[in-house]
Amino acid sequence: MNLTWHVVSKCGLHSSVEASMKPSAFKPKKALVITKVTRYEFEKRRFQDVSDEELRELLSRRGSDLDMLKQRHLVHKECEKRVVQALESHGIETKVAYRFDYTIASVKWADVIVSAGGDGTFLLAASKVHDSNKLVVGFNSDPSRSEGHLCLPKKYSLAVDEAVKKLCNGQFRWMFRNRIRITIAGENVFDQPVELHDQQLLAPEYRFLEDLPEQLQCAKAREMREGRDSPTHHRVLPVLALNEVFIGESLSARVSYCEISLDNGDKFKQKCSGFIFSTGTGSTSWTFNINKLTHQNVEKLLHIIEDEVPSVRLNKNDCRLIEKITARFNNELIVDPSEPQMVYTIRDPITMGVLPTPLDRKPRGFARSVDVKSRCVDASLVVDGSLSFRFNDGTSATLEVLDSDALRTIILHED
């Protein structure tokens, strides 16, 4: 899969921000390194009162190997150490923080936020950055076990000093990853969201925004003081989606039912297994895997084309042809992270019966803004696969891509 993007300067805020801060003028003095909680650390904290042998036995029953977890922990820590040493060797004051210590105040202190981990740690680092002037850079601490699409190329996991040198010398270009702003309206918009990864053991670094309930309560109190204490409240969520927003029934066996409007167009009702609204960044993730073709699909299509159109001569058993067609289709699913629009996907749309889908309504397309009204029974609006907000019948959401919400990242120059 080709993951090379053509990065161009967009009109509006992006180009003006680039002009105001040329790479050569960016001289960071303070760096905050956000490091992930490894699985080994998580298990040690969870079972503080047991011996290593007892922990080994507990993990073995779950099919996990304590020695392997410790080995991966050490690999991560070595990378974290290289990141800190490289930053300090270039005269940058550096602090290290776990998610527990990551605050808005620490974001304001730093000139650059550096993540040491995988894509989950990068999402954590980006979650509290709302200023498009604040740079976020990621190092993949264990490239042999994760792709780290949001991080710098894998070679810099070992060559950290080279990456930091290029950063300090301005040998890079800016890349702005657009994000999705979410405004919800309804009776329960101030309810505390569920942090989905609290229920998982493998990715504890995803569990961020411990201060979110306090933010929501403060916002609710402010609306009441301003005279808007009514059954319907409006709330701009204090988190931006860097990958995607999912809307659908919490129980996957239920049909999700919503009213949708794309770019202020006509509303239409749709039943399906869920709606996904992805950024260009997220187009390589969940959205990609939902929409991609497999070699099996392409091979079957070639057989059908040969049967239905005898005049078309195709070598349906040509593996290279199948691979070429599959790759071309799948590569075209990937969108530039700086594109000022969302990719929407109506997952498994129901097109029969009383809710026919017009031929011009595609299950996948693009929009800059989307309005969604829930007709669901027990639904959720999930941001980046982590924070789940209640989204039941009558609740509505507006999703927008705004230049001012873009995340500032970099692409290093290659020799």
Side-chain angles (χ1 to χ4, degrees), residues 37 39 42 46 99-100 119-121 123-124 193-210 243-244 285-286 382-388:
V37 177
R39 174 80 186 279
F42 178 71
R46 188 182 182 204
R99 69 175 188 88
F100 317 103
D119 284 343
T121 313
L123 285 171
L124 166 63
V194 175
E195 297 187 33
L196 299 182
H197 293 277
D198 274 339
Q199 304 164 7
Q200 299 180 13
L201 299 178
L202 297 181
E205 70 271 18
Y206 274 112
R207 301 196 306 270
F208 53 88
L209 296 180
E210 285 85 351
N243 271 344
E244 78 282 310
S285 185
W286 192 7
V382 184
V383 181
D384 283 342
S386 180
L387 286 177
S388 175

Side-chain angles (χ1 to χ4, degrees), residues 71-278:
Q71 179 184 346
R72 303 327 304 175
H73 166 78
L74 293 175
V75 168
H76 164 72
K77 284 299 179 182
E78 282 298 316
C79 181
E80 176 191 307
K81 182 180 178 181
R82 288 194 296 271
V83 170
V84 173
Q85 289 178 340
L87 290 167
E88 291 180 339
S89 68
H90 285 81
I92 301 173
E93 183 181 353
T94 304
K95 294 181 181 179
V96 178
Y98 286 99
R99 69 175 188 88
F100 317 103
D101 309 312
Y102 189 30
T103 64
I104 299 298
S106 61
V107 171
K108 293 180 179 179
W109 172 85
D111 299 316
V112 56
I113 309 297
V114 182
S115 71
D119 284 343
T121 313
F122 188 96
L123 285 171
L124 166 63
S127 67
K128 296 184 187 296
V129 177
H130 291 264
D131 181 357
S132 61
N133 286 310
K134 189 76 64 174
L135 174 62
V136 179
V137 179
F139 287 93
N140 186 349
S141 64
D142 196 352
S144 67
R145 294 175 62 86
S146 70
E147 288 301 319
H149 292 303
L150 298 175
C151 303
L152 295 176
K154 289 183 177 182
K155 68 177 185 178
Y156 292 113
S157 298
L158 293 176
V160 176
D161 191 70
E162 179 185 350
V164 175
K165 182 179 180 180
K166 288 183 176 182
L167 174 64
C168 293
N169 292 339
Q171 295 175 278
F172 62 86
R173 64 180 183 267
W174 300 118
M175 183 171 81
F176 293 90
R177 293 182 178 271
N178 273 310
R179 297 185 284 185
I180 300 173
R181 179 184 295 192
I182 307 139
T183 304
I184 56 177
E187 298 182 13
N188 302 300
V189 299
F190 294 101
D191 288 358
Q192 182 175 343
V194 175
E195 297 187 33
L196 299 182
H197 293 277
D198 274 339
Q199 304 164 7
Q200 299 180 13
L201 299 178
L202 297 181
E205 70 271 18
Y206 274 112
R207 301 196 306 270
F208 53 88
L209 296 180
E210 285 85 351
D211 57 340
L212 184 58
E214 182 180 352
Q215 293 181 34
L216 292 172
Q217 291 301 319
C218 291
K220 183 177 182 180
R222 182 167 59 253
E223 289 206 354
M224 290 181 175
R225 289 196 302 270
E226 294 174 357
R228 288 177 285 175
D229 186 16
S230 63
T232 300
H233 301 285
H234 292 78
R235 171 95 318 265
V236 178
L237 297 185
V239 60
L240 299 166
L242 181 56
N243 271 344
E244 78 282 310
V245 176
F246 171 79
I247 293 176
E249 290 282 0
S250 300
L251 181 62
S252 60
R254 285 200 185 106
V255 174
S256 299
Y257 181 22
C258 291
E259 295 179 19
I260 308 287
S261 173
L262 304 171
D263 289 327
N264 299 313
D266 294 336
K267 293 182 179 179
F268 62 92
K269 297 178 180 179
Q270 182 67 60
K271 290 185 176 181
C272 62
S273 65
F275 305 84
I276 300 175
F277 306 95
S278 168

